[in-house]
Amino acid sequence: MTLRFFDTLSGTLRDFEPLRPGEVGMYTCGPTVHDFQHIGNYRTFLFEDLLRRHLRGKRYRVVQVMNLTDVDDKIIRKAAAKHMTIGEYTAVYTEAFFQDLRTLNIEPAEVYPRATDHVGDMVTLIERLMEKGHAYELDGSIYFRIASFPPYGRLAKLDPKGLKAGARVDADEYDKEDVRDFVLWKAPREGDPVWDTRIGRGRPGWSIECSAMSMKYLGESFDIHTGGVDNIFPHHENEIAQSEAATGKPFVRYWLHAEHLQMTGEKMAKSLGNFTTVRDALAEGYQPRAIRYALLTGAQYRRKLNFSPDMFGAAESALRRLDDFVARVRAVPDSRPGEPLDLVSPTQAAWEAALDDDLNLPVALGHLFDLVHEVNRLIESGSLGAPAKRQVLELLGDVDRILGVLRLEEQTLDAEVERLIAEREAARTSGNFQRADSIRADLARRGILLEDTKQGVRWKRTGP
Ligand code: AMP
Ligand code: ZN
């Protein structure tokens, strides 16, 4: 199957053809660093990770640009409340964001431009818009004239009759009821950070940053632009207007939007107070990979996903079953003869076809679990030989280049833990069960679970 994506602008599934063969330029709207990001935000960032991993798996060279919004209405308000500069205020949350990306095993983008480092590029873009009559100044602010750009509203499917051309909106975020000339540059206000520029003193509006930075790093036309569905209006609608009005070229070839993570039927959002963070989940003792797995695989990215209190626990159980599976496959002796397994190559093909079909990871996983089921059966009957073992481990390796959660390496223990296990064995043999139990509890706290079997003691990792 050819790779295809649901493109929000055309409203259809479209075969993917990049501008330049073998290369993909993608822009992914990044965090507004006004607070810790919640797990809804990470659902979107994990969808983007899936997209980039699948493209790379298909041998595309990917250049991903993710911006850091480090100046906007919210940041200014919160920094002022703490008597900090926006730079001081955002440093903590920027660092936390990168830490969370590592926790969730999200592959780094190639470029992370900060809005405050690109005000000059935004000014140049605004000048181009003014020269072409798409922007005008009023009381020190500069607005985009939506009436000058007839395709305005196509992405968000706005009714052209509802457009209030000539009326203005100054906020960074607003609803579809407020479709107006939007602000590109904001006149200085008491307490705001300001830049002295050729277009005057002030600061940029939100959406201009993504037009300026995406085109700077990816060119005036590029392949993929993504975000959560809340970015469609006004942010991405405004990006299209700013970019295409300035360049006269199509801005983006494919617009991909991830549906929301919801809590109690509503979008998870800072402003609604119904959110939880990666940090909260870690503090509750969940493994990082369980958070990744739950948010990544809970639903195809264009479907809403409901938060449930046991979603990370359920993900941990699923991963434990996969760990056990890997261990069982590994335990098949390399000397055991046998036939290769016919099922592996169709599973590989079905996995890839499901991902090619608009990144349908739940369907891809269904194919994987069918194989797991069958291989488990063969292991139980002692009929999985070494050739099939190698095939299955190779397939799991491919799968994990997307999932990023499996423990495929031979698990080893450090010397201290080995010593404790031996000490516990000795304590048990000599009847010192109190000592044996206390060592067992100590190891459990370190994420190592001991099981006493007929063949002796076995261990499993339960922790990170
Ligand atoms: P922000 O920091 O608000 O700019 O958001 C960063 C990214 O998270 C954007 O792509 C948003 O569309 C996305 N996002 C915000 N809330 C949610 C949610 N509840 N579920 C999924 N993605 C979200
Ligand atoms: Zn953006």
Side-chain angles (χ1 to χ4, degrees):
M1 186 193 252
T2 42
L3 179 58
R4 56 182 196 164
F5 297 124
F6 185 85
D7 166 39
T8 310
L9 185 59
S10 66
T12 58
L13 280 164
R14 290 175 48 220
D15 287 356
F16 179 66
E17 275 172 41
L19 270 176
R20 281 178 294 277
E23 277 182 42
V24 178
M26 65 186 232
Y27 189 85
T28 50
C29 282
T32 307
V33 280
H34 67 103
D35 206 333
F36 297 113
Q37 294 281 294
H38 57 64
I39 57 173
N41 300 129
Y42 287 109
R43 181 187 190 206
T44 293
F45 300 140
L46 280 162
F47 139 69
E48 289 151 356
D49 186 53
L50 168 64
L51 171 60
R52 100 173 244 130
R53 283 173 184 251
H54 187 52
L55 288 167
R56 279 158 56 85
K58 295 185 78 75
R59 305 272 177 272
Y60 286 106
R61 195 174 79 80
V62 174
V63 178
Q64 181 188 358
V65 179
M66 178 178 274
N67 65 302
L68 303 170
T69 300
D70 59 354
V71 53
D72 87 328
D73 295 347
K74 278 189 288 238
I75 292 173
I76 293 170
R77 210 170 44 240
K78 290 182 163 189
K82 291 204 159 179
H83 307 288
M84 290 166 122
T85 65
I86 56 168
E88 288 161 352
Y89 181 79
T90 56
V92 176
Y93 302 111
T94 306
E95 177 49 35
F97 169 67
F98 285 114
Q99 207 174 25
D100 289 349
L101 292 187
R102 287 190 294 274
T103 300
L104 295 180
N105 196 13
I106 292 178
E107 282 187 1
E110 279 60 32
V111 196
Y112 289 104
R114 283 163 209 262
T116 52
D117 290 336
H118 292 79
V119 175
D121 299 295
M122 301 179 214
V123 167
T124 306
L125 185 57
I126 294 171
E127 284 177 328
R128 280 173 86 179
L129 290 169
M130 292 184 83
E131 275 160 28
K132 292 191 166 189
H134 292 294
Y136 61 93
E137 196 245 280
L138 191 81
D139 298 333
S141 290
I142 300 174
Y143 298 88
F144 186 92
R145 193 192 310 277
I146 55 173
S148 75
F149 185 72
Y152 192 85
R154 267 199 211 156
L155 183 75
K157 317 278 178 263
L158 302 178
D159 178 357
K161 289 199 287 290
L163 306 189
K164 299 190 188 72
R168 276 164 295 282
V169 50
D170 284 281
D172 284 331
E173 290 174 87
Y174 50 93
D175 295 330
K176 281 191 185 174
E177 291 70 54
D178 273 320
V179 186
R180 296 161 199 234
D181 287 358
F182 59 90
V183 72
L184 300 167
W185 186 257
K186 302 192 188 198
R189 259 185 344 199
E190 180 68 30
D192 276 10
V194 288
W195 282 262
D196 267 311
T197 72
R198 292 190 299 272
I199 54 173
R201 243 169 107 69
R203 66 175 173 104
W206 172 33
S207 295
I208 195 72
E209 73 175 74
C210 286
S211 283
M213 296 193 286
S214 60
M215 293 198 290
K216 173 169 182 149
Y217 292 100
L218 297 171
E220 292 182 345
S221 294
F222 58 91
D223 297 305
I224 302 180
H225 196 316
T226 70
V229 286
D230 56 303
N231 284 156
I232 296 173
F233 187 84
H235 187 47
H236 290 167
E237 191 70 61
N238 292 353
E239 276 188 54
I240 295 176
Q242 294 159 158
S243 303
E244 297 194 353
T247 67
K249 296 178 191 159
F251 177 43
V252 164
R253 292 166 67 83
Y254 301 86
W255 284 95
L256 274 61
H257 291 101
E259 251 302 348
H260 282 147
L261 177 70
Q262 296 196 323
M263 199 182 240
T264 52
E266 274 183 310
K267 170 192 173 191
M268 181 174 285
K270 280 276 147 58
S271 54
L272 299 173
N274 61 349
F275 65 94
T276 173
T277 65
V278 170
R279 279 130 213 280
D280 295 334
L282 292 177
E284 285 174 44
Y286 292 115
Q287 297 175 14
R289 64 180 187 145
I291 308 173
R292 174 178 171 92
Y293 187 78
L295 294 172
L296 188 64
T297 67
Q300 197 260 3
Y301 77 92
R302 283 203 301 123
R303 295 185 180 275
K304 292 188 174 72
L305 177 63
N306 285 311
F307 173 84
S308 71
D310 66 342
M311 71 193 288
F312 299 134
E316 275 189 3
S317 309
L319 290 173
R320 254 197 306 279
R321 284 196 297 276
L322 282 168
D323 289 346
D324 286 346
F325 175 69
V326 172
R328 273 198 299 277
V329 174
R330 276 202 166 281
V332 170
D334 287 325
S335 55
R336 185 187 289 167
E339 295 299 314
L341 204 59
D342 287 343
L343 192 60
V344 174
S345 134
T347 302
Q348 173 87 50
W351 168 269
E352 183 168 348
L355 292 179
D356 279 353
D357 187 17
D358 203 22
L359 303 174
N360 203 331
L361 189 53
V363 166
L365 277 173
H367 296 298
L368 178 74
F369 289 132
D370 288 347
L371 176 104
V372 168
H373 187 73
E374 179 61 16
V375 171
N376 265 330
R377 216 177 49 79
L378 293 173
I379 292 176
E380 267 151 42
S381 64
S383 46
L384 194 87
K389 166 187 174 175
R390 274 194 300 278
Q391 279 180 305
V392 172
L393 288 177
E394 201 179 297
L395 174 72
L396 290 174
D398 289 346
V399 161
D400 203 47
R401 270 189 279 283
I402 298 286
L403 290 182
V405 292
L406 299 183
R407 291 182 175 154
L408 295 171
E409 301 306 319
E410 191 106 51
Q411 299 283 305
T412 53
L413 292 173
D414 62 37
E416 155 80 353
V417 172
E418 298 236 32
R419 192 186 59 68
L420 283 170
I421 294 178
E423 191 187 329
R424 173 174 172 273
E425 279 304 282
R428 262 165 33 109
T429 324
S430 64
N432 186 352
F433 295 111
Q434 208 178 351
R435 175 70 189 139
D437 286 349
S438 119
I439 293 177
R440 183 200 192 98
D442 179 25
L443 289 173
R445 276 193 297 277
R446 299 179 192 210
I448 292 172
L449 197 69
L450 298 186
E451 267 176 2
D452 297 308
T453 72
K454 281 195 215 101
Q455 290 80 34
V457 64
R458 289 208 325 207
W459 59 271
K460 277 205 278 204
R461 233 182 254 289
T462 58

